[in-house]
Amino acid sequence: MEESLWLFGIGISLFIIVLFFSSYFDARKHVERKRTKSNEDEILEDLLSFKEKRIKEYVERGDYTFIVKGISYRTEEEINRIRNLNADDELALEYEFNNPFDNDAIKVVAIKENVHVGYVPSISCKEVKRMLELASNYIVKVHVKTDGQKAPFILARIEFNNSVEK
């Protein structure tokens, strides 16, 4: 009987020790997770800060160049009108909030030909919108146009005046 009480006491002691260490390690994991989350937040803040700095540098430098995407999806009539564009022809940028594929879409329109040319690449739309917010004045032009078999290739350039609004 004494022996079973002694074993029971050891069992209880071991249980308490295991319980203590498991809660200790759970607490350490929680602190580590919190620390990791904090580091992730810091990294995200650094990335956003870097991105904002890069956007301001484009505006201050005076230009940003991008490939116009989606030209090959235009109708044959539109593509023929796009082929009439030349370097330095003016383009307009229009926000397309109701675009079913991208709420941040920015449509590129040729002013001279009054034709929808394509889009700012979706990966750049948020940055381009921010650049346009920062710039007090800008103009968009065809920078380079080459004729491809199916559709032309257009490199567009946004030219900013050199004042940046904060």
Side-chain angles (χ1 to χ4, degrees):
M1 173 96 172
E2 247 178 68
E3 196 173 297
S4 62
L5 280 176
W6 185 78
L7 287 174
F8 180 74
I10 289 176
I12 294 283
S13 298
L14 286 174
F15 176 75
I16 291 171
I17 290 169
V18 168
L19 188 63
F20 170 76
F21 279 111
S22 68
S23 64
Y24 172 77
F25 287 117
D26 281 346
R28 284 193 59 143
K29 282 181 191 175
H30 177 71
V31 167
E32 198 58 41
R33 250 186 266 129
K34 210 171 183 182
R35 201 175 291 147
T36 302
K37 181 67 174 156
S38 175
N39 289 349
E40 289 172 359
D41 291 344
E42 286 176 25
I43 291 168
L44 184 59
E45 277 183 40
D46 288 347
L47 285 172
L48 293 174
S49 170
F50 173 76
K51 198 179 227 184
E52 183 70 14
K53 182 179 175 189
R54 193 184 77 215
I55 289 168
K56 286 180 180 178
E57 286 172 356
Y58 279 119
V59 176
E60 288 169 354
R61 186 182 74 196
D63 71 336
Y64 177 78
T65 305
F66 64 92
I67 297 170
V68 178
K69 296 295 204 172
I71 297 173
S72 61
Y73 295 103
R74 311 283 24 106
T75 66
E76 191 174 326
E77 178 194 342
E78 288 173 318
I79 289 175
N80 288 334
R81 289 168 57 197
I82 292 167
R83 289 186 196 282
N84 293 331
L85 295 174
N86 298 306
D88 291 330
D89 281 351
E90 257 189 83
L91 302 170
L93 300 178
E94 299 176 2
Y95 297 151
E96 228 181 43
F97 300 109
N98 295 326
N99 184 303
F101 303 105
D102 183 1
N103 291 339
D104 292 313
I106 303 174
K107 182 163 75 169
V108 179
V109 178
I111 294 173
K112 175 178 118 179
E113 291 293 326
N114 191 28
V115 62
H116 176 187
V117 178
Y119 291 91
V120 170
S122 61
I123 197 165
S124 304
C125 286
K126 287 182 180 177
E127 288 82 4
V128 169
K129 281 183 180 181
R130 182 67 180 132
M131 286 180 223
L132 300 181
E133 288 172 7
L134 289 171
S136 55
N137 193 12
Y138 65 90
I139 189 168
V140 186
K141 293 182 178 182
V142 173
H143 184 54
V144 175
K145 186 200 93 177
T146 59
D147 285 323
Q149 284 183 328
K150 185 175 178 187
F153 168 86
I154 294 180
L155 193 61
R157 171 187 248 150
I158 305 172
E159 297 174 1
F160 304 101
N161 75 358
N162 285 330
S163 66
V164 178
E165 295 177 5
K166 300 295 176 196

